[in-house]
Amino acid sequence: MSITYDKSSGIFTLSTNNTTYQMQADSYGYLLHLYYGRKTRGFADWELTFIDRGFSGCPYDAGHNRGYSLDALPQEFPVQGTGDYRTPLLILRDSEGTYGADLHYSGYEIHEGKYSLPGLPAVYANDGEEAQTLIITLKNDRLNLSVKLLYGVLPEKDVITRSVIVRNDGQDKITILRLGTACLDFTHGKFDLITFHGRHTLERQFDRQSMTHGTFSVSSRRGMSSHQYNPFVILADHDTAETHGRCWGMQFVYSGGFEATAELEQFDQTRLTMGLAQEKFAYPLKTGEEICGPEVIMSFSSEGLEKLTHNYHRIIRENVCRGKYKTAQRPIVLNTWEALYMNFDGKKILEVAECAKSLGVDMLVLDDGWFMNRNDDNRALGDWQADEAKLGCTLGELVKQVNSLGLKFGLWVEPEMISEDSELFRRHPDWAMVIPHEKPVLGRNQLLLDMSRREVREYLYACLSDILSSSNTEYLKWDFNRSIASVYSHTADNQGKVLYDYVLGLYEVLERINVSYPDVLIEGCAGGGGRFDAGMMYYTPQIWCSDNTDALDRMSIHYGTSFGYPAGVLAAHVSTCPNHQTGRITPMKTRYTVSSYGAFGYELNPLKLTDEERQEIASQIEQYRKDRELITEGLYYRINNPGDPYVAWEFVSPDGSKALVNAVIPTNHGNMPEIYITPRGLTPGALYRDILTGKVYPSDALMDSGYPLPLPKGDYEASTLRLERV
Ligand code: GLA
């Protein structure tokens, strides 16, 4: 049993193969957090200390017990107004404007299997995989409000998930002003917080800082998970590194606004939370209504960041991604964006396709610019009819011709958007999210469609369905190219719901497409990696990682991304030089080494390549086909950090029989000292052969002392070592 309840102490124990999570419904009816860490026997109730603390409120039910304060005790679901002045998960207001509601434990249920969530993505258990669900109900009698805390335990994955459902059964209309899903309270410890910040074209940069007193938060107020902060955070002991030390992760399975907070409070206790963004959120619940807090995937490692990463990689690959492409190899694509932008016609597309085929590419992806009036990025979003004059034929016919060259066909769409200059806007101006009598905020000269409206979702489904059923389009690149600013729905009874309902609306359309067209691969995209989150991965098993294709910048983007997300979900393409984002010139080999990371492809005009480059690309594609299983299914190791004199990363097959070590030396210097790379994860006591040279290495010496990199002859040189166990 991975979930047990001890009646005499009120302690719940959630166990995975290597971790234990404990909480206690105590004699006053509060649900206190006891422990999340390395697997243990017995009960960690000594974690609780009861000290009379000045200015920390005591619940009335504790009577004269002044040592009992929720301000100082670790909690599972802290609510505003209970005398706990730390960051709450729940803030609510009743119709009189009164804040707060004391919640008391009312019961629990344990179920076999992993819960799912209405309308929201969530981790699922595979057939035959062990999983259990615990539901703890907390209640407030005054409002007749219930809060169900959902815990999913996947023992073999070392993962515990959390979600929450708040339900109003009272007569009063209440408004939820803040809804967090998960909280981890630590009674002591000195921690660092690891977060991933960025911007358009430089997403998920690693940041690590020591906690100081106060609350630090990373969040997105943009209605999307965002380029700026990723909804994945790690709390780690000060001395935790890749291969040793304790660390805890929280990953939000949600693609809208979020907030993660880490607070070091007055008694040097630490609270970590994850939940919905509070701004522009005021969710009304009438009698009988409920709202579900998106899922948080939690994991703990006592063996450093590397193990935590492996846990997250496995859960995303095996229990979040779904459909045919969860396991099927993804096509190697040639994407037309950086190759042609919007300057093409049907003839050019076919020339590019033919050339791409000769290089060994599997699929041509026609990016932006293929539909009516879309010759620049200022108009036409919403009108999803092909520009037949530009293409020289219908979309279906173009796809047929691409197919007849032996290539699959993929297409770019940006369904959630509407341009003011579009037929759709002229027909349905009220479908755009624009606040009446306010001038809308533009982004890339476009507006958002109101995804909370059924008729909008029906329209989009019909458009996409039309494309997919009238042409053999086997891949959609689903883009989203601006942050949400003006939040307004003409049909909502309350504007405070719209942002949340928008995301549910998006998920509904994605789910319908997935169900109706199970063979179609959807690649997520939001100006690159602006919605690179586990919520999207449930519907789109790969995501365009960044609009930045520069090899050097990509290394740091891939590095940050790797902490929470596996290589297979990350799309990376080799582009031309000078690079279109940075102007940098890097060797073709380096561009390949960096891009051969996950869902691989090219983003350049093959007609402009020299013969030598063509040959190089053809052999890269051959090589990628040989390596890709190892890349997409192997264990990933960060050998060191971008910023060091060299950057190295490694993939090792799950059985340890093969390894691929990549390294790039960003800057060459005169008379450089030798650089030694130390691979990890090889089978101890084994011998490994370098596939290229035949040289045999003893695994322990190699992992201990490393092998020398060939000294570079210029900047940005890459080298690869492919090993197989002898
Ligand atoms: C976004 C995407 C790009 C490309 C353009 C097209 O920026 O991230 O890859 O598709 O839109 O407009």
Side-chain angles (χ1 to χ4, degrees):
M1 287 290 275
S2 49
I3 301 176
T4 56
Y5 174 63
D6 179 68
K7 210 170 163 196
S8 61
S9 61
I11 293 180
F12 293 91
T13 302
L14 281 50
S15 311
T16 70
N17 285 4
N18 298 296
T19 70
T20 297
Y21 187 102
Q22 272 181 351
M23 56 198 148
Q24 180 174 35
D26 73 4
S27 56
Y28 300 128
Y30 290 107
L31 189 63
L32 302 180
H33 177 74
L34 296 183
Y35 176 76
Y36 186 26
R38 174 175 315 172
K39 190 155 187 149
T40 181
R41 296 177 58 180
F43 300 132
D45 49 359
W46 74 86
E47 287 277 343
L48 304 179
T49 56
F50 301 91
I51 299 165
D52 182 356
R53 303 284 194 186
F55 290 87
S56 289
C58 303
Y60 198 81
D61 291 347
H64 289 232
N65 181 359
R66 286 168 46 165
Y68 190 101
S69 173
L70 294 177
D71 204 20
L73 287 165
Q75 294 182 66
E76 279 299 308
F77 194 75
V79 184
Q80 189 205 43
T82 57
D84 178 0
Y85 297 94
R86 295 168 288 179
T87 312
L89 290 187
L90 181 67
I91 300 180
L92 60 83
R93 197 177 56 198
D94 66 18
S95 61
E96 281 191 308
T98 313
Y99 287 82
D102 202 5
L103 292 171
H104 282 87
Y105 173 79
S106 123
Y108 77 95
E109 299 158 45
I110 295 174
H111 301 286
E112 279 311 311
K114 163 73 178 54
Y115 64 83
S116 56
L117 298 174
L120 281 165
V123 162
Y124 61 89
N126 290 292
D127 286 349
E129 180 173 11
E130 191 189 344
Q132 278 193 313
T133 294
L134 167 68
I135 304 175
I136 295 182
T137 304
L138 309 176
K139 281 204 164 143
N140 175 273
D141 291 337
R142 174 176 71 93
L143 296 168
N144 202 358
L145 179 88
S146 68
V147 173
K148 283 192 188 305
L149 305 182
L150 282 69
Y151 297 83
V153 184
L154 286 95
E156 214 254 319
K157 301 282 163 53
D158 276 329
V159 153
I160 294 174
T161 66
R162 285 191 65 173
S163 185
V164 56
I165 296 174
V166 182
R167 183 180 169 86
N168 180 12
D169 282 311
Q171 293 311 308
D172 199 7
K173 181 172 147 191
I174 59 164
T175 305
I176 308 296
L177 298 171
R178 178 181 174 87
L179 183 59
T181 297
C183 164
L184 274 180
D185 273 351
F186 298 83
T187 52
H188 58 283
K190 289 211 178 307
F191 298 112
D192 287 357
L193 182 68
I194 297 173
T195 55
F196 304 92
H197 73 100
R199 54 183 183 265
H200 179 223
T201 71
L202 205 70
E203 299 89 336
R204 292 173 297 288
Q205 302 296 298
F206 177 87
D207 224 341
R208 180 172 183 159
Q209 55 188 302
S210 295
M211 296 275 303
T212 50
H213 288 99
T215 305
F216 180 83
S217 84
V218 289
S219 67
S220 163
R221 302 180 166 123
R222 296 166 183 268
M224 62 197 290
S225 48
S226 90
H227 303 84
Q228 285 70 18
Y229 299 103
N230 192 265
F232 176 55
V233 296
I234 300 170
L235 198 71
D237 283 329
H238 269 328
D239 56 356
T240 293
E242 283 291 339
T243 53
H244 64 85
R246 300 185 307 163
C247 46
W248 296 259
M250 275 196 187
Q251 188 174 62
F252 210 22
V253 189
Y254 189 63
S255 312
F258 76 96
E259 186 177 7
T261 68
E263 180 175 2
L264 180 62
E265 48 82 286
Q266 54 182 337
F267 309 118
D268 292 345
Q269 307 193 93
T270 300
R271 171 170 291 176
L272 185 68
T273 75
M274 177 71 87
L276 292 172
Q278 197 171 337
E279 198 169 293
K280 293 182 190 154
F281 176 81
Y283 209 94
L285 292 181
K286 292 189 226 124
T287 309
E289 288 183 341
E290 58 186 35
I291 180 172
C292 180
E295 182 160 272
V296 172
I297 304 175
M298 300 191 300
S299 193
F300 166 77
S301 156
S302 58
E303 297 161 52
L305 296 163
E306 175 181 291
K307 176 71 168 51
L308 194 76
T309 284
H310 290 168
N311 292 349
Y312 278 103
H313 285 193
R314 268 190 87 195
I315 201 84
I316 296 273
R317 271 181 198 158
E318 296 176 19
N319 304 78
V320 173
C321 292
R322 300 176 300 161
K324 174 176 163 185
Y325 284 96
K326 173 180 174 178
T327 47
Q329 290 294 359
R330 319 281 167 76
I332 298 171
V333 305
L334 186 128
N335 180 296
T336 60
W337 184 240
E338 286 196 27
L340 303 169
Y341 295 101
M342 298 191 194
N343 313 316
F344 57 82
D345 55 18
K347 191 165 158 274
K348 180 62 87 195
I349 294 299
L350 290 171
E351 281 169 24
V352 165
E354 195 172 1
C355 189
K357 174 66 192 171
S358 73
L359 301 173
V361 160
D362 298 318
M363 175 183 272
L364 181 95
V365 177
L366 179 54
D367 209 284
D368 201 353
W370 59 269
F371 49 101
M372 292 293 281
N373 294 323
R374 186 69 172 174
N375 292 315
D376 60 48
D377 60 7
N378 286 311
R379 65 203 84 249
L381 292 169
D383 300 342
W384 298 108
Q385 278 85 40
D387 184 343
E388 293 178 11
K390 185 172 180 177
L391 299 182
C393 57
T394 65
L395 181 66
E397 282 159 358
L398 181 76
V399 179
K400 260 197 203 131
Q401 294 180 66
V402 171
N403 287 167
S404 71
L405 296 170
L407 279 181
K408 293 174 189 290
F409 182 83
L411 193 65
W412 177 94
V413 286
E414 197 181 354
E416 299 153 75
M417 300 291 165
I418 180 167
S419 306
E420 276 185 297
D421 182 5
S422 69
E423 288 310 313
L424 186 66
F425 189 78
R426 286 184 271 277
R427 266 201 326 271
H428 297 289
D430 62 316
W431 284 12
M433 287 219 289
V434 174
I435 303 171
H437 314 298
E438 290 275 344
K439 288 183 185 143
V441 177
L442 297 173
R444 214 191 193 198
N445 218 356
Q446 60 199 51
L447 302 171
L448 271 300
L449 274 173
D450 176 1
M451 297 294 287
S452 72
R453 282 175 75 162
R454 174 151 304 281
E455 56 275 39
V456 170
R457 301 198 295 271
E458 290 300 332
Y459 170 79
L460 290 180
Y461 178 76
C463 291
L464 295 169
S465 192
D466 194 40
I467 291 169
L468 295 173
S469 48
S470 67
S471 68
N472 187 27
T473 297
E474 296 177 74
Y475 161 115
L476 287 178
K477 177 175 171 187
W478 184 298
D479 212 338
F480 179 91
N481 274 317
R482 60 159 295 178
S483 307
I484 301 180
S486 315
V487 179
Y488 191 86
S489 168
H490 283 269
T491 52
D493 55 2
N494 190 305
Q495 300 303 324
K497 307 163 76 165
V498 174
L499 272 181
Y500 177 85
D501 288 352
Y502 178 101
V503 180
L504 263 70
L506 161 68
Y507 289 154
E508 184 193 291
V509 180
L510 281 166
E511 181 67 11
R512 267 182 92 182
I513 300 287
N514 269 314
V515 169
S516 310
Y517 301 94
D519 290 336
V520 172
L521 168 62
I522 310 181
E523 173 172 288
C525 178
R531 266 196 322 210
F532 202 99
D533 57 70
M536 286 307 285
M537 286 165 201
Y538 188 73
Y539 306 96
T540 69
Q542 67 185 50
I543 299 182
W544 180 228
C545 179
S546 177
D547 272 351
N548 188 340
T549 53
D550 173 69
L552 206 71
D553 278 356
R554 269 290 182 129
M555 284 196 295
S556 67
I557 298 171
H558 292 181
Y559 175 80
T561 305
S562 76
F563 283 83
Y565 306 98
V569 297
L570 183 161
H573 298 167
V574 172
S575 64
T576 194
C577 270
N579 179 267
H580 290 191
Q581 291 77 43
T582 61
R584 202 180 340 258
I585 297 176
T586 50
M588 177 70 96
K589 182 177 174 194
T590 305
R591 282 177 267 156
Y592 169 75
T593 306
V594 174
S595 299
S596 59
Y597 190 95
F600 175 62
Y602 290 82
E603 184 121 354
L604 43 71
N605 187 345
L607 301 168
K608 292 193 173 159
L609 296 170
T610 62
D611 283 350
E612 202 187 323
E613 285 171 330
R614 254 182 227 144
Q615 273 168 17
E616 192 173 352
I617 288 185
S619 54
Q620 287 175 350
I621 290 176
E622 247 177 67
Q623 186 61 55
Y624 180 74
R625 288 191 201 287
K626 289 186 198 147
D627 289 337
R628 74 172 155 191
E629 202 178 311
L630 177 56
I631 292 169
T632 55
E633 287 165 32
L635 289 165
Y636 180 79
Y637 294 87
R638 291 173 291 268
I639 305 294
N640 72 337
N641 313 332
D644 288 347
Y646 68 96
V647 188
W649 61 100
E650 181 194 15
F651 300 95
V652 180
S653 60
D655 66 357
S657 63
K658 285 187 185 158
L660 170 64
V661 191
N662 284 320
V664 173
I665 299 179
T667 320
N668 192 16
H669 297 284
N671 210 8
M672 290 243 292
E674 186 54 271
I675 286 174
Y676 286 81
I677 305 272
T678 47
R680 295 205 295 277
L682 305 178
T683 311
L687 296 175
Y688 282 80
R689 181 185 300 112
D690 174 343
I691 296 178
L692 190 68
T693 63
K695 182 166 175 48
V696 173
Y697 295 94
S699 62
D700 305 281
L702 198 55
M703 289 194 285
D704 206 30
S705 167
Y707 67 93
L709 275 186
L711 282 181
K713 296 189 179 59
D715 284 346
Y716 320 122
E717 271 196 13
S719 77
T720 296
L721 178 69
R722 288 188 179 79
L723 294 170
E724 64 184 8
R725 202 170 47 209
V726 179

